[in-house]
């Protein structure tokens, strides 16, 4: 008997630090056993000829497969929604997780070149711009 893929449990959201390696795992059951594809913000993830992503699949039994999308050296541009698509001849199922990447503070407008004259006994200030979260 053929049946559509079902992803369970759902893909979970992740919060990681810049430079980490992150994996999203997706377990699906279907007959025939499903195949997988991964998407980042709705665009297919290219796992061929890249050092950024790998997609591995392992059969747990004749109808259940686990797929793992691994993202190496994450940065702020990797933050977003990752979607697992499990497909067979009957239908498909999707599940998504959001990756949040913590980025260390970084001064984007340096203090160099700023001149501040402060009268003794008064307050003064200098301004710089930083990013990170």
């Amino acid at each position: 008997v053929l049946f559509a893929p079902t992803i369970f449990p759902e893909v979970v959201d992740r919060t990681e630090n810049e430079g980490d390696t992150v994996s999203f795992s997706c377990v699906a059951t279907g007959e025939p056993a499903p195949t997988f594809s991964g998407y980042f913000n709705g665009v297919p993830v290219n796992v061929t000829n890249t050092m950024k992503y790998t997609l591995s699949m392992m059969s747990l039994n004749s109808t259940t497969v686990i797929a793992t999308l691994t993202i190496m050296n994450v940065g702020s541009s990797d933050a977003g929604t990752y979607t697992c698509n499990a497909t067979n001849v009957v239908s498909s199922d999707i599940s998504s997780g959001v990756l949040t990447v913590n980025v260390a503070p970084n001064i984007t407008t340096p203090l160099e070149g700023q001149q501040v004259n402060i009268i003794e006994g008064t307050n003064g200030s200098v301004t710089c711009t930083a990013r990170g979260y």
Side-chain angles (χ1 to χ4, degrees):
V1 175
L2 302 178
F3 60 94
T6 302
I7 296 173
F8 185 82
E10 296 291 316
V11 176
V12 297
D13 295 345
R14 303 286 306 266
T15 299
E16 301 294 335
N17 295 324
E18 184 176 37
D20 286 353
T21 295
V22 180
S23 294
F24 284 97
S25 292
C26 182
V27 180
T29 299
E31 180 63 45
T35 59
F36 291 87
S37 53
Y39 294 82
F40 172 56
N41 291 334
V43 177
V45 173
N46 179 6
V47 295
T48 57
N49 300 322
T50 178
M51 298 297 290
K52 185 69 174 175
Y53 302 102
T54 61
L55 179 63
S56 61
M57 290 180 259
M58 181 178 70
S59 294
L60 300 179
N61 57 47
S62 64
T63 60
T64 305
V65 180
I66 183 169
T68 302
L69 175 67
T70 302
I71 309 135
M72 274 66 81
N73 192 29
V74 298
S76 59
S77 64
D78 298 309
T81 302
Y82 288 85
T83 302
C84 171
N85 184 358
T87 304
N88 69 11
V89 296
V90 178
S91 187
S92 63
D93 191 18
I94 63 169
S95 180
S96 298
V98 175
L99 174 61
T100 301
V101 179
N102 295 323
V103 178
N106 179 29
I107 296 176
T108 57
T109 305
L111 298 175
E112 296 147 2
Q114 291 189 35
Q115 182 175 347
V116 178
N117 295 316
I118 302 171
I119 299 171
E120 186 176 341
T122 64
N123 294 328
S125 66
V126 293
T127 302
C128 71
T129 305
R131 72 168 189 89
Y133 43 90

